[in-house]
Amino acid sequence: MWKGKTTYGIVGKDGEVNFSKLEKQIDSAVAADERYWVQNSAKIRAVTNKVASYEEFEQIVKASHLKPLEKGDRISDMDKFTQPWNIASSQDNFSFSPSPQTDLSTSSLQNLTQFNREWRKRKGPQKFDLLLSLSETDIRRIFHAEIGLGLLGEIVDALHSNWAEEHVTSVLNILTTLTKCGRFDLSLRFLSGEEKTKLKSLLDKMYALSETDGVSELFKMYEVV
């Protein structure tokens, strides 16, 4: 028979074990342990990347449990997707009126939820076409609160895989505008090694074609060396 605080409420006076309560305690302990290691990993990553402030460090740790959507995730589940640090200020002039059941044209995408729904419908070059169809105003409206965890890497991948020489100006505008969106710095911290490599390759090719101040600034803003 177990002794100490861990047996509280598990073993009755008759000596019978309450397996339902035991299972809940075990699940709780496992979840706590997993949360500890996820947060610990985020702390190590933040320190390694030399974040600029404690606030940024805290944001990375708080967001450590969040994961980007996988290929198998259903679009119908998008409305259930929430992030605890997602901020939408009522004082801003942007319109947030999602219509879950309606197929949207790119010009009517109002926020991150609607963009995600449209983004998940598309594959390969179609994702690139969606990005090209967005104006600077569209991008700043959609990603006003945040770009979305993991989404910046997907955007980089779409731009890297599908761009051509005639797209230099458009890609430059997209990447520049994204730096002005909500929590860009946090999204940048979560780029994987492969995504950073693709970003550097993309910027190198753009710079070779157009040695403008705009492209040079992107190296700094995206911390590409």
Side-chain angles (χ1 to χ4, degrees), residues 114-131:
Q114 293 179 349
F115 177 84
N116 268 325
R117 187 182 300 116
E118 188 67 26
W119 182 256
R120 301 302 164 190
K121 291 178 182 177
R122 299 174 180 239
K123 304 295 181 182
Q126 295 177 337
K127 291 181 182 288
F128 182 68
D129 291 340
L130 174 60
L131 294 172

Side-chain angles (χ1 to χ4, degrees), residues 134-151:
L134 300 175
S135 67
E136 178 179 347
T137 300
D138 292 333
I139 293 173
R140 298 192 69 172
R141 179 183 65 250
I142 293 168
F143 304 118
H144 161 62
E146 62 185 1
I147 298 176
L149 193 63
L151 185 56

Side-chain angles (χ1 to χ4, degrees), residues 14 25 112:
D14 57 359
Q25 279 200 13
L112 181 59

